[in-house]
């Protein structure tokens, strides 16, 4: 499976991530004053209305301090709101404001367009196959993490 002469997969993935985030940050900061990380928070709050910060942190694999800063930044910008959990005051549910919904919509348009441009050399079939493979990689990583928690 692993070719000892090939570059590490983790290196390639990190390189793709770094280049993509740099490009995304340029476009998103110009359009909204937000970076990729803040937009990911916004996207997940959109996709999971009422999500708690803890669940959001688990999905993003972010530490509490960084996530807290991202949430505060988005809240201060009028993009998300927090409401207390009626059953547990320690938890707060997050939701998009109207402005947050508009930024999410515009961000989706920019992000999807940027992906189309950056990965234009991939056919539709290649793109779909890549997503299938990456989903399998994530499942494999989850299994590996679980086996190493014991």
């Amino acid at each position: 499976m692993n070719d000892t002469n090939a570059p590490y997969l983790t290196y390639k993935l990190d390189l793709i991530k770094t280049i993509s985030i740099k490009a995304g940050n340029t476009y998103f900061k110009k359009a909204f004053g937000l970076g990729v990380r803040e937009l990911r928070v916004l996207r997940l709050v959109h996709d999971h209305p009422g999500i708690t910060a803890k669940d959001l942190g688990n999905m993003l694999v972010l530490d509490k301090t960084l996530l807290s800063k991202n949430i505060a930044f988005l809240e201060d910008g009028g993009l998300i709101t927090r409401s207390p959990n009626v059953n547990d005051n320690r938890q707060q549910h997050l939701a998009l404001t109207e402005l947050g919904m508009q930024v999410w919509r515009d961000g989706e348009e920019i992000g999807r367009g940027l992906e189309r441009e950056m990965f234009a050399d991939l056919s539709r079939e290649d793109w779909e196959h890549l997503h299938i493979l990456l989903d399998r990689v994530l499942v494999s990583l989850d299994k590996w993490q679980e086996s190493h928690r014991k």
Side-chain angles (χ1 to χ4, degrees):
M1 180 169 92
N2 293 336
D3 181 355
T4 56
N5 295 322
Y8 281 97
L9 174 63
T10 52
Y11 169 75
K12 288 180 180 180
L13 292 172
D14 189 56
L15 194 58
I16 293 165
K17 177 194 123 206
T18 301
I19 293 168
S20 300
I21 286 177
K22 271 185 160 179
N25 279 338
T26 300
Y27 283 84
F28 295 132
K29 286 201 183 277
K30 184 178 178 184
F32 314 114
L34 301 174
V36 168
R37 189 170 285 135
E38 292 92 4
L39 276 165
R40 283 187 183 146
V41 171
L42 208 62
R43 283 185 188 118
L44 285 174
V45 172
H46 171 270
D47 293 347
H48 306 276
I51 191 170
T52 63
K54 180 180 178 182
D55 290 340
L56 190 58
N58 290 337
M59 292 175 92
L60 290 168
V61 192
L62 281 180
D63 67 69
K64 287 180 185 180
T65 304
L66 187 54
L67 180 61
S68 182
K69 286 180 183 179
N70 284 301
I71 291 171
F73 183 79
L74 293 170
E75 186 178 32
D76 291 346
L79 302 173
I80 64 171
T81 59
R82 300 183 214 212
S83 59
N85 180 335
V86 293
N87 298 321
D88 184 350
N89 287 336
R90 296 172 294 171
Q91 290 185 346
Q92 296 182 330
H93 296 283
L94 306 171
L96 297 185
T97 63
E98 285 299 316
L99 178 59
M101 283 294 286
Q102 185 60 51
V103 170
W104 170 81
R105 276 192 289 278
D106 294 345
E108 283 295 296
E109 188 175 321
I110 291 170
R112 298 293 178 190
L114 191 55
E115 275 195 347
R116 278 191 299 278
E117 288 178 29
M118 289 191 300
F119 304 109
D121 289 345
L122 296 178
S123 69
R124 182 167 192 72
E125 290 157 348
D126 288 342
W127 183 251
E128 290 170 1
H129 191 233
L130 176 61
H131 276 277
I132 290 167
L133 290 173
L134 290 173
D135 288 342
R136 287 174 54 195
V137 166
L138 287 170
V139 168
S140 182
L141 276 174
D142 283 344
K143 287 179 183 176
W144 179 85
Q145 281 182 316
E146 189 60 36
S147 72
H148 285 78
R149 285 191 185 127
K150 298 172 183 173

